[in-house]
Amino acid sequence: MILHGYWRSGTSYRTRIALNLKGLEYQQATLDLRAGAQKSDAYLRLNPQGLVPALETDDGLVLTQSPAILEWLEETHPEPPLLPRDAAGRAQVRAMAAVIGCDIHPLNNLRVLKAVRELGADQAGVDAWAGRWIIDGFTALEALIARHGDGWCFGASPTLADCYLIPQLYSARRFNVDLAAFPRLLEIEARAEAHPAFIAAKPENQPDAD
């Protein structure tokens, strides 16, 4: 498989974590988002939306949008599972992932922050914008993990929710968000710091890292 992505992209990061947790081998094709490589004709033929990641599978399928990629990985490579066996548990994990994937991350990705700057915000304003939505979402996640977590976001092993959480914690620090109010999130992050799949997926460990 070939993962088209960028070292600091949260969506690419979460996809790397999932691939690593599944124990799958993949090559990386890197796209410098700052230079606009994702808008090249060659990449647009692969992914017409011009966003990362895109995953080329061994049988020639091209998958885009990280939620779809992660669900495909779970369906086609079910072990180890990243979703609970029961329908209620799966719904809870998907909801926790969506707090980040739908309500936090889209508001602090590169193209949105570029638009915020075009409206006149300086870096402090950009940080405040991103931090507002991160804090709202993390407050909800802290409560959900209190209900459902047992070392990880849901239960005692990593799930899709953890694939989403760890990259968003990385982004939160880039925007100078104070994380002291989220001890459960930080406990999960500390556990991920010692997990080989998460270590290998870290932005600074990627071939295109600055």
Side-chain angles (χ1 to χ4, degrees):
M1 289 189 284
I2 302 173
L3 177 64
H4 299 260
Y6 176 62
W7 68 284
R8 206 163 58 182
S9 155
T11 52
S12 300
Y13 190 176
R14 71 176 69 136
T15 305
R16 294 194 301 264
I17 293 171
L19 286 162
N20 295 344
L21 286 169
K22 295 290 187 183
L24 298 172
E25 294 185 4
Y26 59 98
Q27 302 174 31
Q28 293 201 59
T30 62
L31 297 156
D32 189 341
L33 303 188
R34 297 164 299 184
Q38 72 278 19
K39 300 299 183 182
S40 70
D41 290 342
Y43 187 66
L44 288 173
R45 285 193 292 272
L46 195 71
N47 179 1
Q49 197 176 14
L51 299 174
V52 295
L55 183 70
E56 289 187 78
T57 71
D58 293 335
D59 58 1
L61 181 67
V62 177
L63 300 170
T64 62
Q65 288 288 347
S66 62
I69 294 171
L70 269 60
E71 290 280 355
W72 178 85
L73 289 171
E74 183 70 359
E75 291 178 10
T76 57
H77 301 83
E79 297 297 332
L82 299 181
L83 286 170
R85 302 297 189 187
D86 62 296
R90 291 196 299 273
Q92 292 289 354
V93 169
R94 287 180 171 123
M96 295 168 87
V99 170
I100 294 171
C102 298
D103 298 329
I104 300 178
H105 179 264
L107 294 168
N108 61 55
N109 69 19
L110 183 64
R111 60 180 182 163
V112 170
L113 297 184
K114 181 179 179 182
V116 171
R117 289 187 177 93
E118 289 171 351
L119 292 172
D122 59 10
Q123 188 58 50
V126 168
D127 288 355
W129 164 267
R132 171 183 177 177
W133 310 114
I134 291 169
I135 289 169
D136 281 358
F138 279 5
T139 300
L141 281 171
E142 186 78 8
L144 290 168
I145 291 166
R147 296 179 193 174
H148 303 295
D150 183 17
W152 296 92
C153 286
F154 188 97
S157 59
T159 65
L160 291 184
D162 302 286
C163 296
Y164 280 75
L165 174 62
I166 299 305
Q168 193 60 62
L169 285 165
Y170 173 84
S171 291
R173 290 192 172 86
R174 290 179 56 212
F175 300 118
N176 299 304
V177 175
D178 185 353
L179 299 173
F182 310 112
R184 291 183 177 86
L185 274 62
L186 294 176
E187 288 173 5
I188 293 168
E189 184 182 46
R191 189 162 284 107
E193 287 285 338
H195 193 298
F198 289 85
I199 294 170
K202 292 175 72 171
E204 59 266 33
N205 293 332
Q206 305 317 303
D208 57 329
D210 285 349

